[in-house]
Amino acid sequence: MTPKSPSPARRIDELRRQIEDANYRYHVLDDPDIPDIEYDRLMRELEALEAAHPELASPDSPTQRVGDAPSGKFAEVRHTVPMLSLANAFTPEEIHEFVARIGKETGDFEPVFSAEPKLDGLAISLRYENGAFVRGATRGDGATGEDVTANLRTIKAIPLRLRGTAPAVLEVRGEVYMPRAAFEKYNAWAREHGEKTLANPRNGAAGSLRQLDPRITAQRPLAFFAYSLGEVEGPPLPPTHSQTLALLREFGLPVSPQVTTARGAEGLLAYFAKIGSVRDELPYDIDGVVYKLDRYDQQRAMGFVSRAPRWAIAHKFPAQEEATTVESIEVSVGRTGAVTPFAVFTPTHVGGVTVVKATLHNADQVARLDVRKGDMVIIRRAGDVIPEVVRVIPERRPTDAKGNPLHPPFVMPTHCPACGSAVEREEGEVVARCTGGLYCPAQRVQALFHFASRRAMDIEGLGEQFIAALVEFDYVHTVADLYGLTLDDFLEMKRRADEQSGATPATVKSGKVATRWAENLIAAIDASRSTTLERLLYALGIRDVGESTAKTLAKHFGALAPIMAADVDTLKTVPDIGPIVASRIAHFFAEPHNREVIAALRANGVHWKEGAPQRASEGPLSGQTVVLTGGLASMSRDEAGDRLEALGAKVSGSVSKKTSFVVAGEAAGSKLAKAQELGIEIWDEERLLAFLAGHAS
């Protein structure tokens, strides 16, 4: 007998519980148990049932996160318990003074603190009544904020109903932030579609949360961490802050995984150093750390001063945004001919380094910023990310006697500054390109540098400086010319470079040293003559053909000749190669000059192993995408990748929602952080080895 289907009300309740549990496991436990496609299926089923039965609608349903119509304004919310700011510290001496002051007043000179990263986002308050989310507000001036409940409902990390038995009233304070990967992805989309980019993750979070139209907020990738409480009505709370944060996590509220406890000033400074060392690897921006006395009785004994607690302090990192002056706007030409504008600044110290220039991405971005020579601008640097201009300070723009801007708007050059060829911008693209190809010295230098790089032909010691000299002194015009260079060529090039730089005899390497250097380069070039087809394809610098695509082409065709002969339709049959990339591959090999370079490489002894085409494996990892990050003790990443591919996997260099799992070795960095943010399965080396051993042929 066929089992009876559950009633709509029962099924709706069941779906809501499943979806909220999935949200809890993803955002709080960082341990998702269902794939994205299953989550989407559950959500679609719930949406359909609620649409068919509007009488069963509920404000705490997961479907209500999509955003309502624009409100037109934000109502004011009076905070029952003020949302106070924190005093700041910037030096170890200030931290010692802070702890000594607590010791003097409490008698505890080695107190325990709750320590956590200071997120660079927007402080908000969430009010729950009997476990249901009823209102959310911004901090505002500390006493009064703005009601942004509709916008907060769109953030999946914020539970619409708490788990377990919650107090009658629970006001949770925390930070809404925009993860770095989400920020970069959004800005890339905005630049591609000609939309306004976000200045930085903090402004992205604040601006997204204060949209009058919640549907816009719903499209922005925001997250949330809880860090304290406001008003509470119910059973007594635990006696310490750290225990309270653990309780909030049990209620289903995400808490930073970097939260811990530390004792005394030395413990706080050790935590500050530890967080500072991994700051650039975190999936979100922080501008310091926060220390709070862990025991609530000690907090009460310390009390407040002005609008800040005396039992907490923010230990700030050096600023990563600074103001400086644009001395000029110039352009660089990359190996694919991309002409990229960049600003040259008065040297400025930002985030621990001196910055003298920053990318402006493209002409559209320059126009959106309206940045000009002489402008005072805010520049930003986060970790190892190339610095960029955040905004112009218009009131500081230099003007003439009549108040008109002293300098005109920037205009992209119509001709390449390196070779004089026309600069063109294809329809639908945001990047302008030099049409000079390998005739252009700038493209030639970058193409040669790419060709010689470790992941391509791996010509050790042949850096960009030497390649630039080889091009400048007319020793090489194509990559094939590298294999005709002699010892005398390198020695003569070095002599001319030294003369040009004004080097004195005392600073020039001795004959034996210089000869050894040149001999090593000749040996490295000679060693690179034996390579693989995938390395050669990557080294040729075909636009949009990275390592993964080069490997796919090599396996699919087995030899270079059929790749060179393939038309667009044939190339489109190759897995993961779409019409645009197929067109660029076909165009590259149809160009007579490129065919001549390949023939010259063969003539100069460059060779690679060819074999029969290898179609996609039907192994246990067929259809799965794997990313390797960090160092492995038992084998190289290349070897691990080859073994995974032999079992049917596609090994990718970047993490995305399509990634099946990530293998994380020692010192895994941003890729691991992004995988954790996306809820992707993580394997350690032990699990990898066990899997490979279990599938050894």
Side-chain angles (χ1 to χ4, degrees):
M1 183 170 143
T2 304
K4 186 177 179 180
S5 299
S7 68
R10 185 174 176 182
R11 180 56 179 162
I12 285 174
D13 285 343
E14 182 181 322
L15 287 168
R16 287 172 181 167
R17 284 197 300 271
Q18 285 182 276
I19 293 169
E20 287 299 351
D21 186 65
N23 284 334
Y24 172 70
R25 297 186 65 87
Y26 184 98
H27 295 286
V28 180
L29 301 184
D30 194 21
D31 183 27
D33 61 346
I34 62 172
D36 288 348
I37 190 170
E38 175 65 10
Y39 181 93
D40 293 340
R41 187 192 66 75
L42 295 173
M43 184 65 81
R44 285 196 299 271
E45 183 182 352
L46 178 59
E47 288 171 343
L49 279 171
E50 289 183 346
H53 301 277
E55 72 280 4
L56 299 176
S58 171
D60 60 1
S61 172
T63 59
Q64 299 308 300
R65 296 188 186 277
V66 295
D68 299 320
S71 65
K73 63 178 181 178
F74 294 115
E76 287 190 350
V77 173
R78 186 79 178 174
H79 299 303
T80 307
V81 177
M83 294 184 71
L84 303 178
S85 57
L86 294 174
N88 292 327
F90 295 92
T91 67
E93 291 75 20
E94 290 174 296
I95 298 303
H96 279 284
E97 291 171 4
F98 167 67
V99 176
R101 189 163 57 247
I102 290 173
K104 184 178 179 180
E105 298 197 27
T106 66
D108 186 353
F109 290 91
E110 289 289 319
V112 175
F113 292 87
S114 177
E116 63 193 70
K118 185 178 183 299
L119 273 77
D120 200 9
L122 186 71
I124 57 112
S125 164
L126 308 175
R127 183 180 179 88
Y128 289 87
E129 294 180 0
N130 298 315
F133 175 52
V134 297
R135 190 177 66 210
T138 62
R139 177 183 177 276
D141 62 5
T144 304
E146 294 177 316
D147 188 331
V148 288
T149 306
N151 292 354
L152 289 168
R153 285 183 178 277
T154 70
I155 301 174
K156 291 182 179 179
I158 295 176
L160 300 178
R161 176 167 288 279
L162 298 179
R163 302 170 69 85
T165 304
V169 174
L170 184 71
E171 185 195 348
V172 180
R173 271 82 185 275
E175 199 89 358
V176 167
Y177 67 95
M178 184 175 286
R180 286 177 178 170
F183 168 75
E184 297 296 342
K185 183 177 180 180
Y186 180 87
N187 271 358
W189 174 89
R191 284 191 287 268
E192 183 180 345
H193 291 83
E195 299 288 338
K196 184 178 180 181
T197 57
L198 303 173
N200 53 49
R202 185 194 183 284
N203 287 2
S208 299
L209 197 57
R210 298 191 71 257
Q211 292 288 330
L212 292 176
D213 187 349
R215 291 171 296 190
I216 297 177
T217 308
Q219 296 168 2
R220 304 285 179 88
L222 300 178
F224 170 78
F225 277 146
Y227 56 59
S228 69
L229 294 177
E231 182 184 6
V232 179
E233 292 180 10
L237 291 170
T240 67
H241 181 72
S242 56
Q243 290 172 322
T244 298
L245 291 181
L247 180 62
L248 291 181
R249 204 165 186 265
E250 290 178 14
F251 285 152
L253 291 148
V255 174
S256 170
Q258 281 72 39
V259 169
T260 187
T261 56
R263 183 179 293 277
E266 295 305 324
L268 298 185
L269 294 175
Y271 178 78
F272 182 79
K274 178 182 178 181
I275 292 296
S277 70
V278 299
R279 179 186 184 186
D280 296 341
E281 299 171 17
L282 296 176
Y284 42 79
D285 277 1
I286 61 175
D287 57 4
V289 298
V290 175
Y291 312 131
K292 303 170 185 174
L293 268 175
D294 199 36
R295 285 169 45 185
Y296 287 137
D297 63 331
Q298 290 183 333
Q299 289 186 11
R300 289 190 290 270
M302 291 299 297
F304 302 84
V305 57
S306 184
R307 300 179 65 185
R310 298 178 68 238
W311 41 264
I313 199 166
H315 193 173
K316 303 292 285 291
F317 291 127
Q320 290 194 292
E321 286 191 355
E322 290 290 346
T324 188
T325 301
V326 177
E327 296 185 350
S328 63
I329 298 178
E330 303 174 15
V331 296
S332 62
V333 183
R335 70 177 178 86
T336 62
V339 180
T340 304
F342 64 92
V344 178
F345 310 124
T346 302
T348 306
H349 203 64
V350 185
V353 300
T354 300
V355 174
V356 295
K357 63 182 179 180
T359 180
L360 293 170
H361 297 291
N362 53 60
D364 290 349
Q365 180 70 354
V366 178
R368 280 193 290 271
L369 290 167
D370 188 25
V371 58
R372 309 182 187 191
K373 178 181 177 180
D375 279 351
M376 178 73 74
V377 295
I378 301 296
I379 58 173
R380 180 176 190 274
R381 178 183 179 271
D384 295 326
V385 177
I386 298 172
E388 65 176 349
V389 176
V390 174
R391 62 184 176 88
V392 173
I393 305 175
E395 58 269 23
R396 302 289 295 275
R397 173 168 285 166
T399 58
D400 58 21
K402 297 181 179 180
N404 298 314
L406 201 58
H407 300 286
F410 170 79
V411 177
M412 283 287 286
T414 57
H415 291 81
C416 174
C419 70
S421 299
V423 171
E424 297 178 355
R425 178 173 166 178
E426 292 182 19
E427 185 177 352
E429 288 208 353
V430 296
V431 177
R433 298 182 188 277
C434 165
T435 58
L438 289 180
Y439 166 75
C440 174
Q443 292 184 64
R444 197 180 311 156
V445 169
Q446 292 301 316
L448 288 163
F449 181 61
H450 172 76
F451 184 85
S453 64
R454 185 177 66 87
R455 307 295 295 182
M457 299 299 283
D458 193 20
I459 304 177
E460 187 176 356
L462 191 59
E464 193 166 3
Q465 179 182 357
F466 294 143
I467 289 172
L470 288 170
V471 171
E472 181 180 358
F473 298 131
D474 212 32
Y475 284 98
V476 293
H477 295 88
T478 75
V479 294
D481 293 339
L482 291 172
Y483 296 93
L485 293 170
T486 66
L487 183 65
D488 288 341
D489 288 333
F490 276 114
L491 294 175
E492 176 65 14
M493 180 204 73
K494 184 69 171 64
R495 183 191 63 78
R496 292 173 65 182
D498 287 339
E499 287 179 354
Q500 188 178 77
S501 66
T504 63
T507 62
V508 177
K509 293 178 179 178
S510 67
K512 287 185 178 180
V513 174
T515 300
R516 191 180 310 119
W517 160 81
E519 288 172 343
N520 289 340
L521 271 178
I522 291 293
I525 291 172
D526 189 55
S528 74
R529 282 186 166 89
S530 179
T531 188
T532 64
L533 178 56
E534 63 194 57
R535 276 183 174 268
L536 175 72
L537 289 168
Y538 176 59
L540 290 174
I542 306 167
R543 190 175 168 198
D544 290 340
V545 174
E547 292 179 72
S548 178
T549 302
K551 184 177 289 188
T552 299
L553 285 168
K555 286 189 172 185
H556 187 87
F557 290 97
L560 182 60
I563 300 175
M564 295 177 66
D567 57 18
V568 173
D569 289 338
T570 301
L571 290 164
K572 285 194 299 186
T573 65
V574 180
D576 298 324
I577 292 182
I580 294 175
V581 177
S583 176
R584 285 171 179 160
I585 296 169
H587 177 78
F588 179 90
F589 287 113
E591 181 65 44
H593 172 80
N594 293 330
R595 289 177 170 268
E596 290 169 7
V597 169
I598 292 169
L601 285 169
R602 287 185 186 272
N604 283 333
V606 177
H607 58 280
W608 51 92
K609 185 178 180 180
E610 296 186 337
Q614 299 177 38
R615 296 303 184 242
S617 169
E618 294 300 325
L621 296 179
S622 178
Q624 297 194 47
T625 300
V626 182
V627 173
L628 295 155
T629 182
L632 302 175
S634 57
M635 67 185 79
S636 69
R637 289 220 306 250
D638 286 345
E639 182 184 353
D642 290 342
R643 294 182 66 177
L644 289 167
E645 286 178 341
L647 296 174
K650 174 188 175 183
V651 177
S652 174
S654 59
V655 177
S656 71
K657 286 188 175 181
K658 295 182 180 179
T659 303
S660 305
F661 62 90
V662 170
V663 178
E666 287 295 322
S670 59
K671 291 178 184 177
L672 173 59
K674 184 173 182 181
Q676 291 170 332
E677 178 191 333
L678 294 174
I680 291 168
E681 185 178 0
I682 310 295
W683 288 20
D684 58 15
E685 185 169 359
E686 182 179 357
R687 182 173 178 183
L688 171 68
L689 293 175
F691 180 83
L692 294 176
H695 294 85
S697 56

